[in-house]
């Protein structure tokens, strides 16, 4: 096995590992790499849908998305499609997946199916590092506070994306409150757990003061020295610890700039625990 760091902050590309190997030894070593680097990448993993599901299940039960349909034969897999004529890309702002759920995603296993020849990278930012380096005065103000995370409703997820289909039924907005500073259940590390996309207010704080604080925190957590950036190739797999990083799918390949490309990713999410 070879491990190459993507940056000094987070992210490692791992080679010499076959994700079809679901033996305890292989999964344990992948989990340890994940806890250490927060997001890990594997290239040339030409695995089937079922193999991606089998591998993902080794991390815990699979979570279905509240609003978006999975593949007809493999509902566990949510196919992220950006057509060449579309401007937007799913996940194109800093966020932690479904942080508005009561038990937000533990990890995501994302496989590239079709990638643009230019652009379409994904960025990750290390939220343990963001917590460690946060201004002391801000730390004291938020250490015991909770924030409201809102789902923004189904339209946020499907209106701009022609290749993605909303589920039938109740698709309204909902929200949950989570500690702003959560603890990683495996490593015991403190994590800054808010994000620009879904975090809307600080519970029990004056709205203006809370918004001002949140804006300062958002600016801090996006600092480039906490990040790594992954350039996709076909059949690459990213696994991120969705508790420890926020991420950003860069939509720099849209028609207005003459770069209208299709981008397709197969996403499986593993159900997480209630943040504490
Ligand atoms: C996501 O935000 O869940 C998708 C990331 C990507 O497509 O790069």
């Amino acid at each position: 096995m070879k491990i190459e760091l993507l940056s000094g902050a987070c992210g490692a590309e791992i080679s010499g590992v076959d994700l079809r190997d679901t033996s305890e030894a292989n999964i344990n070593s992948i989990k340890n790499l994940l806890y250490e680097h927060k997001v890990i990448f594997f290239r040339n993993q030409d695995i089937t849908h079922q193999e991606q599901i089998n591998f993902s299940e080794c991390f815990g039960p699979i979570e279905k998305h509240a609003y978006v349909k999975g593949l007809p034969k493999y509902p566990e897999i949510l196919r992220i499609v950006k057509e060449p004529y579309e401007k937007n890309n799913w996940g194109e702002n800093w966020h932690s997946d479904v942080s508005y759920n009561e038990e937000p995603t533990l990890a995501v296993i994302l496989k590239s199916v079709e990638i643009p020849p230019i652009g379409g990278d994904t960025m990750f930012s290390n939220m343990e590092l963001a917590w460690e380096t946060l201004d002391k005065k801000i730390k004291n103000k938020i250490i015991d506070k909770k924030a409201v995370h809102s789902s923004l409703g189904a339209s946020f997820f499907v209106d701009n994306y022609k290749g993605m289909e909303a589920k039938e039924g109740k698709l309204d907005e909902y929200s949950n409150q989570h500690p702003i500073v959560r603890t990683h259940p495996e490593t015991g590390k403190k994590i800054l757990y808010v994000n620009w996309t879904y975090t809307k207010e600080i519970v029990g704080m004056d709205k203006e003061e809370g918004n001002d604080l949140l804006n300062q925190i958002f600016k801090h957590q996006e600092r480039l020295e906490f990040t790594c950036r992954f350039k996709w190739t076909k059949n690459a797999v990213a696994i991120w610890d969705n508790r420890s990083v926020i991420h950003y799918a860069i939509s720099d390949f849209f028609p207005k700039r003459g770069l209208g490309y299709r981008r397709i990713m197969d996403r499986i999410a593993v159900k997480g625990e209630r943040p504490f």
Side-chain angles (χ1 to χ4, degrees), residues 80 89-93 95 97 108 110 120-124 232 240 247-250 263 265 267:
I80 299 173
N89 188 65
W90 221 67
E92 67 184 25
N93 283 303
H95 64 286
D97 281 354
V108 174
L110 187 72
D121 299 355
T122 307
M123 289 192 73
F124 298 85
W232 292 93
W240 65 86
H247 60 284
Y248 190 128
I250 303 174
R263 181 177 184 272
M265 315 292 272
R267 171 190 180 277

Side-chain angles (χ1 to χ4, degrees), residues 16-178:
V17 173
D18 184 346
L19 300 186
R20 284 173 296 204
D21 175 4
T22 54
S23 65
E24 208 181 325
N26 197 40
I27 297 299
N28 282 343
S29 95
I30 290 174
K31 281 184 182 169
N32 288 334
L33 288 165
L34 184 62
Y35 300 149
E36 185 177 348
H37 302 289
K38 327 294 176 216
V39 52
I40 49 181
F41 307 94
F42 304 82
R43 294 199 192 267
N44 304 316
Q45 300 287 330
D46 191 8
I47 56 176
T48 63
H49 293 324
Q50 192 55 54
E51 285 165 345
Q52 189 182 352
I53 294 168
N54 295 346
F55 174 75
S56 303
E57 280 174 337
C58 297
F59 293 80
I62 289 176
E63 171 191 78
K64 302 261 174 72
H65 198 273
Y67 298 122
V68 185
K69 274 190 188 163
L71 291 176
K73 282 202 187 142
Y74 299 92
E76 299 90 342
I77 299 180
L78 189 160
R79 178 157 279 194
I80 299 173
V81 182
K82 183 220 158 271
E83 295 293 355
Y85 52 84
E86 290 178 311
K87 182 172 183 292
N88 299 87
N89 188 65
W90 221 67
E92 67 184 25
N93 283 303
W94 285 112
H95 64 286
S96 167
D97 281 354
V98 305
S99 67
Y100 47 81
N101 275 355
E102 196 176 341
E103 295 176 326
T105 309
L106 182 151
V108 174
I109 293 90
L110 187 72
K111 176 174 177 276
S112 51
V113 178
E114 191 173 332
I115 48 132
I118 307 156
D121 299 355
T122 307
M123 289 192 73
F124 298 85
S125 186
N126 180 344
M127 289 303 101
E128 289 178 14
L129 208 48
W131 168 249
E132 280 166 27
T133 53
L134 189 63
D135 177 82
K136 270 217 176 77
K137 279 192 204 131
I138 300 184
K139 275 184 165 177
N140 289 337
K141 283 187 185 164
I142 60 169
I143 183 77
D144 294 322
K145 291 268 187 289
K146 287 188 170 186
V148 177
H149 296 245
S150 165
S151 70
L152 309 174
S155 59
F156 175 75
F157 291 95
V158 287
D159 276 6
N160 286 315
Y161 315 107
K162 299 290 168 276
M164 302 180 72
E165 221 184 314
K167 285 181 169 172
E168 288 95 22
K170 209 170 176 301
L171 300 172
D172 298 341
E173 187 167 345
Y174 61 92
S175 64
N176 275 290
Q177 299 179 2
H178 297 306

